[in-house]
Amino acid sequence: QVQLVESGGGLVQAGGSLRLSCAASGRTFSRYAMGWFRQAPGKEREFVAAIRWSAGHTYYADSVKDRFTISRDNAKNTVYLQMNSLKPEDTAVYYCAADLTDWRTSTKQYEYDYWGQGTQVTVSS
């Protein structure tokens, strides 16, 4: 079992920054890939970013590329999502997820095995 707890969400003005954290417990953190997804009101949950266990490979949705950075600290069992130049359309509940198949950076929700409860990010215009 893996438990994931997100934090760091909040209200920020457009152009601002936030850093989300996802603390993992349970299985050996360094052995699985991690992803961030988000769900805006009235929309389906969508992929944001993913990182392999080695942290050497990352992948981003086009909508956040060059603005968001995913990283991980295996010693702290934590994955981060640094969000810069935030836009109102980034407003959503953000979820972290763990993929026990650690060799990929999947964009597909069904390939993730464990999910956190989500943290709200609201960007005002």
Side-chain angles (χ1 to χ4, degrees):
Q1 288 288 333
V2 174
Q3 293 78 43
L4 303 173
V5 179
E6 301 97 334
S7 62
L11 174 64
V12 64
Q13 288 189 332
S17 298
L18 281 176
R19 188 176 80 156
L20 305 183
S21 299
C22 174
S25 60
R27 294 176 61 143
T28 304
F29 179 72
S30 61
R31 291 295 183 263
Y32 43 89
M34 297 293 296
W36 285 97
F37 290 78
R38 66 185 181 185
Q39 186 167 22
K43 294 187 178 181
E44 294 186 351
R45 190 158 56 183
E46 64 177 5
F47 170 78
V48 175
I51 187 168
R52 288 176 56 178
W53 70 270
S54 66
H57 183 79
T58 58
Y59 189 75
Y60 297 91
D62 287 342
S63 60
V64 306
K65 201 173 295 183
D66 299 325
R67 298 189 299 123
F68 291 10
T69 302
I70 188 171
S71 62
R72 66 191 295 163
D73 184 336
N74 289 341
K76 295 183 178 179
N77 290 353
T78 301
V79 64
Y80 304 97
L81 185 68
Q82 177 66 45
M83 305 186 295
N84 298 329
S85 303
L86 283 161
K87 305 175 182 179
E89 51 263 45
D90 294 318
T91 295
V93 177
Y94 283 70
Y95 300 88
C96 69
D99 176 2
L100 300 185
T101 306
D102 60 16
W103 50 264
R104 64 189 175 197
T105 48
S106 176
T107 64
K108 302 176 178 62
Q109 296 182 52
Y110 65 84
E111 291 185 331
Y112 286 82
D113 302 284
Y114 297 96
W115 292 82
Q117 83 290 348
T119 185
Q120 176 70 48
V121 171
T122 303
V123 184
S124 63
S125 57

